[in-house]
């Protein structure tokens, strides 16, 4: 999340969503490599061996951190760090205070709604990830290699399609962030519905193309959030973002797997339909945000990162 804070500080408002989308895309590069090779590996050596390989790879960052990351005493000027700083409780509380503190006009409400807006498509991605493997491999009948190719295609679309879509559209016309986000939501909902209908030829691949704007959607929301908060609040803003993602990932993933298991008897593609329904709620939030007459004034460049008096 430090990456997004830094981008918000060094990029102009006009191109911030584009650079946020590039950052979103780079986060998917590791996933791209994994999805490109995991199907072939599982077909050749089995799922158990793949699990051991994954566990081994997960240890690598720990080793690198122990070897190359500077000692905490050195980073704090030779003074032992306070336990609250190590655990990070104070920073967690600061993040919540930043999001829910009183702000001028409708800025606090808009900021809170922006996180609700972010939560819906994020939950949609979790639901898709939780059920996609069993659905496409067990129900549709893809081999692991075919599923790996499909996943690679989808991740490439997320990494490249997100920033590319923003760049192209903004070159043609300066579309407001919320209007752009609405278009992305409509496309993603249509893609999820299409993928839930395997009887339609090519629905899996065409539907995945319609899911490409997920990267654009997340970038647009983060661009909106950085326009509401001051520069000194960006770190706490994205800290709250990380906390929300951790909580949602833990809770939604478990529930989504149970949902898929229960829906096997009547509609295996139900999880995709629910993903589309969740995006409809996201559209409702966009409509609510756009109804504020002061929205354009609140997010205008003249007040971005300006004084934020407490009301």
């Amino acid at each position: 999340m430090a990456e997004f804070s830094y981008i918000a500080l060094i990029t102009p408002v006009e191109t911030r969503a584009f650079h946020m989308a590039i950052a979103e895309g780079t986060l998917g590069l590791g996933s791209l490599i994994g999805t490109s090779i995991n199907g072939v590996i599982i077909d050749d050596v089995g799922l158990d061996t793949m699990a051991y390989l994954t566990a081994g790879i997960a240890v690598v960052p720990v080793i690198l951190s122990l070897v190359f990351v500077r000692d905490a005493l050195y980073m704090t000027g030779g003074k032992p760090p306070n336990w609250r700083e190590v655990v990070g409780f104070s920073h967690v509380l600061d993040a919540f205070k930043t999001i829910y503190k009183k702000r001028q006009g409708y800025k606090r409400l808009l900021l809170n709604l922006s996180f609700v807006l972010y939560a819906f498509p994020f939950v949609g991605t979790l639901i898709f990830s939780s059920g996609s493997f069993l659905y496409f491999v067990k129900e549709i009948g893809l081999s692991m290699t075919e599923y790996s190719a499909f996943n690679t295609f989808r991740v490439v679309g997320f990494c490249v399609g997100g920033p590319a879509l923003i760049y192209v559209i903004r070159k043609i016309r300066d579309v407001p962030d919320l209007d752009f986000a609405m278009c992305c939501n409509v496309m993603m909902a249509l893609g999820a519905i299409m993928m839930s209908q395997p009887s339609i030829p090519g629905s899996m691949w065409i539907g995945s193309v319609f899911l490409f704007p997920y990267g654009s959607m997340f970038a647009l929301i983060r661009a909106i959030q950085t326009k509401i908060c001051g520069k000194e609040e960006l770190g706490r803003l994205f800290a709250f973002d990380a906390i929300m993602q951790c909580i949602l990932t833990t809770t939604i993933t478990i529930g989504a797997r149970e949902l898929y298991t229960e829906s096997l008897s009547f509609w295996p593609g139900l999880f995709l339909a629910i993903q589309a329904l969740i995006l409809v709620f996201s559209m409702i939030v966009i409509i609510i945000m756009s109804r504020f007459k002061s929205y354009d004034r609140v997010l205008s460049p003249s007040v971005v990162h300006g004084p934020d008096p407490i009301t």
Side-chain angles (χ1 to χ4, degrees):
M1 290 302 161
E3 179 183 12
F4 294 112
S5 300
Y6 181 69
I7 290 173
L9 287 172
I10 65 173
T11 57
V13 175
E14 295 77 13
T15 61
R16 187 170 298 159
F18 170 68
H19 289 95
M20 289 285 185
I22 293 179
E24 288 281 357
T26 58
L27 294 176
L29 291 178
S31 176
L32 173 60
I33 296 173
T35 54
S36 301
I37 63 176
N38 65 353
V40 178
I41 294 175
I42 293 175
D43 280 344
D44 289 342
V45 301
L47 187 60
D48 292 341
T49 304
M50 183 64 189
Y52 289 122
L53 290 173
T54 303
I57 293 173
V59 175
V60 173
V62 178
I63 298 174
L64 293 176
S65 299
L66 293 174
V67 175
F68 294 106
V69 174
R70 295 179 179 179
D71 185 80
L73 291 177
Y74 177 81
M75 296 296 290
T76 55
K79 298 179 181 180
N82 184 284
W83 72 270
R84 290 186 178 86
E85 295 177 353
V86 176
V87 178
F89 285 153
S90 61
H91 302 300
V92 171
L93 293 176
D94 287 342
F96 277 87
K97 290 177 181 177
T98 298
I99 302 305
Y100 294 107
K101 77 173 188 179
K102 292 184 178 180
R103 296 176 183 272
Q104 184 181 26
Y106 294 111
K107 293 176 75 174
R108 179 172 68 170
L109 179 58
L110 287 170
L111 182 61
N112 295 162
L113 285 173
S114 73
F115 276 102
V116 176
L117 178 59
Y118 184 91
F120 283 124
F122 185 74
V123 168
T125 62
L126 294 175
I127 292 175
F128 180 86
S129 300
S130 299
S132 62
F133 173 78
L134 294 175
Y135 177 72
F136 291 113
V137 175
K138 301 297 183 180
E139 297 297 324
I140 305 301
L142 298 182
S143 68
M144 283 306 305
T145 302
E146 290 172 332
Y147 177 72
S148 189
F150 166 72
N151 250 348
T152 301
F153 176 74
R154 186 175 59 83
V155 174
V156 168
F158 177 88
C159 296
V160 179
L165 183 61
I166 292 178
Y167 179 80
V168 172
I169 297 299
R170 289 283 162 82
K171 281 292 184 181
I172 298 173
R173 185 175 180 179
D174 187 18
V175 181
D177 289 342
L178 284 177
D179 294 346
F180 202 157
M182 177 65 82
C183 294
C184 291
N185 265 269
V186 172
M187 286 185 63
M188 295 184 301
L190 290 175
I193 293 173
M194 187 173 297
M195 296 178 74
S196 68
Q197 305 296 324
S199 58
I200 301 175
S203 61
M204 181 180 76
W205 297 94
I206 298 173
S208 65
V209 172
F210 278 76
L211 296 182
F212 286 178
Y214 261 109
S216 305
M217 180 68 183
F218 292 140
L220 289 165
I221 296 172
R222 288 197 169 107
I224 291 172
Q225 292 170 343
T226 59
K227 294 175 184 177
I228 299 174
C229 292
K231 287 183 178 180
E232 72 284 352
E233 297 177 311
L234 293 178
R236 297 188 291 273
L237 168 72
F238 291 114
F240 183 84
D241 190 329
I243 294 168
M244 185 182 71
Q245 287 191 32
C246 291
I247 295 173
L248 289 176
T249 300
T250 304
T251 55
I252 298 300
T253 301
I254 297 174
R257 290 188 182 278
E258 293 298 324
L259 170 67
Y260 179 79
T261 302
E262 295 297 325
S263 66
L264 284 175
S265 59
F266 58 94
W267 187 11
L270 177 63
F271 75 102
L272 292 168
I274 292 177
Q275 180 186 6
L277 179 61
I278 288 174
L279 291 171
V280 172
F281 289 114
S282 182
M283 298 177 205
I284 295 174
V285 176
I286 293 175
I287 293 172
I288 294 173
M289 292 181 69
S290 64
R291 295 298 297 173
F292 290 102
K293 294 181 180 179
S294 61
Y295 175 79
D296 291 332
R297 180 182 61 80
V298 169
L299 301 185
S300 64
S302 60
V303 298
V304 171
H305 299 327
D308 187 21
I310 304 299
T311 57

